[in-house]
Amino acid sequence: MSAEARRAMIVHAVLPLLIEHGANVTTSQIARAAGIGEGTIFRAFKDKDELFDACTAEALKPDHVLDAIAEIPIDQPLADRLVEAAEALGAHLERMGALMGALHASGRVRHRDPEQRLKDQRKTWKGGRRESMAAMRGAMVELFTPEKDRLRLPPEQLAGLFLTVLFGGRMAPDGDVPTPRQVVDVFLHGAVEAK
């Protein structure tokens, strides 16, 4: 197995552990989950911080959600396509939130060098985050495109608006978060019932 493949395998094994235990996960737990010896962890990663950074970067990548959106059958009605996409995007956000919450709750943020953390955040927010959002928007454009002759706005603009509404709806107070179907219904038909 190449060094790159070994690192990827360890990261994928560790992500669920980080969500469960946060930064308190032990090297013994990591080794067991990955099916390797503890020493192998440190041949692949300088230390646990480097491993946690790699896990965070992996969780932030939109690859899984982009694959899920790409698999949505284009011959379905638009509402059904958007609901499937909203569910996939919601699951992606929940995974990211669970990981970040677990790391933060276990003290990961406090233990890191504040200057390095700011550099890492700038890199993620300016490059990775922007690229990730652009990729998600592009995937959503594909879902709107078959209806482009019936749409009131271009698919690119609707894709951006849909993501804004979807992500904004997730910030509602507990219990008030709309379902994907509700978001899609209001997005497509408005807030007022037709008479």
Side-chain angles (χ1 to χ4, degrees):
M1 179 181 290
S2 71
E4 183 94 8
R6 184 176 311 284
R7 285 174 59 92
M9 182 268 304
I10 293 169
V11 164
H12 287 284
V14 172
L15 273 169
L17 291 174
L18 284 179
I19 291 170
E20 183 179 347
H21 302 286
N24 298 322
V25 66
T26 66
T27 54
S28 173
Q29 290 170 313
I30 293 168
R32 250 191 326 275
I36 57 174
E38 287 183 57
T40 303
I41 298 166
F42 299 108
R43 283 192 290 280
F45 297 94
K46 176 177 67 176
D47 54 27
K48 281 173 70 174
D49 274 339
E50 185 179 48
L51 171 58
F52 294 165
D53 288 343
C55 289
T56 302
E58 180 63 29
L60 293 175
K61 285 175 24 184
D63 297 355
H64 299 293
V65 73
L66 295 175
D67 290 344
I69 292 171
E71 291 177 11
I72 297 172
I74 219 71
D75 59 350
Q76 290 188 82
L78 178 60
D80 293 338
R81 293 193 305 258
L82 294 180
V83 167
E84 281 193 48
E87 289 169 348
L89 288 159
H92 175 65
L93 290 177
E94 284 178 28
R95 278 190 302 274
M96 286 191 321
L99 175 63
M100 298 309 172
L103 288 174
H104 182 60
S106 62
R108 168 94 164 120
V109 175
R110 287 190 300 272
H111 292 303
R112 302 220 32 224
D113 174 16
E115 286 185 32
Q116 183 61 43
R117 187 176 75 233
L118 187 58
K119 287 178 189 174
D120 292 345
Q121 288 172 344
R122 283 189 187 130
K123 184 171 47 174
T124 299
W125 293 343
K126 289 187 177 171
R129 183 171 185 234
R130 213 176 275 154
E131 290 169 5
S132 176
M133 288 304 294
M136 285 188 265
R137 182 177 173 186
M140 292 304 301
V141 167
E142 297 298 318
L143 297 182
F144 282 104
T145 299
E147 266 73 39
K148 69 181 176 189
D149 295 336
R150 298 181 13 201
L151 300 174
R152 293 172 59 193
L153 295 171
E156 297 78 15
Q157 198 171 3
L158 285 172
L161 285 170
F162 182 74
L163 291 174
T164 299
V165 170
L166 180 66
F167 293 160
R170 300 188 67 78
M171 295 178 174
D174 288 341
D176 290 340
V177 176
T179 67
R181 180 73 59 189
Q182 290 170 323
V183 170
V184 169
D185 187 52
V186 170
F187 182 80
L188 291 177
H189 307 292
V192 178
E193 285 283 349
K195 292 189 179 193

